[in-house]
Amino acid sequence: MSFDNVCKVLAEKYPAEFVNWLLPEEATQVKVLKTELSLEPIRADSVTFLQTANRILHIEFQTRTISNPPLPFRMLDYSVRLIRQYNLPVTQVVIFLQETSNEIAFIEEYVNETTNHHYRVLRMWEQDSAIFLDNPALLPLAPLTRTNSPQRLLSQVAQSLARIPDSNVRQDIVAYTEILAGLKFEKGLIRQFLSEDVMQESVIYQDILQKGEERGKQQEAFRFLMRLLTRRFGEIDSLIIERIRVLSTEQLEVLGEEFVDFSAISDLVSLLEQQENS
């Protein structure tokens, strides 16, 4: 399944969630339109049309910047056809999934001598991850959002995935997330954070930090952090272990959060020194 078709599947499976994301109105009744707009000369392979009570939402997912006919003209064509067929106002949103500097990802209108047609463009690499992490329907898009730390973002995605209670839904959302994450990350990094056992341990770790008595929390957090460190770096020097053992739960929490950014044991030691001097 192609990247843009994964998004089409999500939008048609969770239409209300996509409407509430992309339109200012909150809609509970949303209809997915199976229109005749995919006929030649313009195909709507990765396009979704959603109808609310008083509007059509046209979503187009893009991984490429070159198309025939060009994207701005295609948006005009869709708009005219939709208005003619449904006699409703149309909101059009083009969502670019993969980061690019091509000017087409920054154009939001079609202009010729007699026509000036506007549409919206969303560039996923500019979007805040928060709204995607909190919504299972949008969660597969989260790896494509803005971040200064790819590892931290994938760790957050893994935690959100593991919290989906229905196992069948979770498996589907994990599959979609892994596919879309491939637009931005190497396969090895994706597997490192999105495998089932890592996601479960990530959530368990967060629960440990939030529940139980302080001493029990500290001990459990210590044991879990040591498992992570051993998995990443192998055997840990006993002096380092003893320095970690006496940290508070809050300090262990900081280490757990920063762990995804460690590339060598020296990174751990540097952070330990900061903790001890604070």
Side-chain angles (χ1 to χ4, degrees), residues 1-264:
M1 186 182 295
S2 66
F3 300 112
D4 42 9
N5 276 325
V6 168
C7 296
K8 177 179 172 65
V9 168
L10 284 168
E12 295 187 356
K13 197 170 185 177
Y14 303 101
E17 286 83 352
F18 274 76
V19 165
N20 292 334
W21 169 36
L22 297 171
L23 293 180
E25 63 190 79
E26 186 166 338
T28 55
Q29 301 264 338
V30 182
K31 179 181 179 182
V32 179
L33 300 180
K34 302 295 184 181
T35 71
E36 301 298 323
L37 298 184
S38 61
L39 297 176
E40 295 289 359
I42 297 179
R43 292 191 176 276
D45 293 338
S46 296
V47 171
T48 296
F49 305 110
L50 305 178
Q51 181 178 353
T52 67
N54 54 11
R55 181 169 297 273
I56 303 291
L57 173 61
H58 162 202
I59 313 172
E60 179 146 356
F61 302 98
Q62 288 287 315
T63 53
R64 295 176 295 175
T65 55
I66 299 175
S67 62
N68 184 26
L71 177 63
F73 178 78
R74 197 164 71 241
M75 301 305 288
L76 170 65
D77 184 83
Y78 285 143
S79 180
V80 171
R81 294 198 210 183
L82 287 165
I83 293 171
R84 181 173 60 202
Q85 184 165 342
Y86 294 99
N87 194 30
L88 285 173
V90 177
T91 295
Q92 297 178 290
V93 184
V94 181
I95 301 175
F96 281 91
L97 303 173
Q98 190 169 31
E99 186 167 359
T100 178
S101 59
N102 191 292
E103 65 176 355
I104 199 66
F106 299 86
I107 293 174
E108 297 188 326
E109 62 181 357
Y110 170 80
V111 180
N112 65 19
E113 291 183 359
T114 59
T115 304
N116 193 327
H117 176 70
H118 294 270
Y119 54 92
R120 288 173 56 197
V121 171
L122 285 182
R123 294 170 287 274
M124 285 304 305
W125 59 94
E126 297 176 351
Q127 306 304 304
D128 190 316
S129 63
I131 64 171
F132 301 91
L133 292 169
D134 293 337
N135 189 327
L138 303 178
L139 184 54
L141 292 166
L144 307 180
T145 57
R146 183 177 69 246
T147 183
N148 293 322
S149 172
Q151 292 89 346
R152 187 185 301 278
L153 177 58
L154 284 178
S155 178
Q156 292 173 324
V157 170
Q159 292 173 32
S160 297
L161 286 168
R163 289 192 181 97
I164 299 174
D166 187 293
S167 60
N168 292 326
V169 173
R170 184 173 62 252
Q171 288 174 5
D172 287 344
I173 298 297
V174 168
Y176 299 144
T177 304
E178 289 178 339
I179 292 172
L180 291 179
L183 280 168
K184 190 172 182 178
F185 303 109
E186 296 293 333
K187 288 183 179 179
L189 188 63
I190 295 171
R191 294 194 186 102
Q192 179 182 341
F193 285 94
L194 300 188
S195 64
E196 186 70 22
D197 59 333
V198 171
M199 288 191 296
Q200 289 298 333
E201 286 185 348
S202 180
V203 170
I204 291 169
Y205 179 67
Q206 293 301 315
D207 288 343
I208 286 170
L209 295 176
Q210 296 172 10
K211 298 177 182 177
E213 295 296 324
E214 183 59 34
R215 181 58 180 165
K217 287 167 57 179
Q218 191 275 345
Q219 292 175 343
E220 291 294 336
F222 167 76
R223 285 195 291 267
F224 179 74
L225 183 60
M226 289 307 303
R227 289 201 301 272
L228 291 179
L229 292 172
T230 302
R231 179 184 295 177
R232 176 75 65 86
F233 301 117
E235 185 175 354
I236 307 298
D237 186 279
S238 60
L239 293 177
I240 295 177
I241 294 175
E242 291 309 311
R243 290 169 68 181
I244 296 173
R245 190 188 302 277
V246 298
L247 295 177
S248 68
T249 303
E250 290 74 18
Q251 290 172 317
L252 289 169
E253 180 178 1
V254 171
L255 282 180
E257 291 174 349
E258 296 293 335
F259 168 77
V260 295
D261 293 326
F262 294 165
S263 59

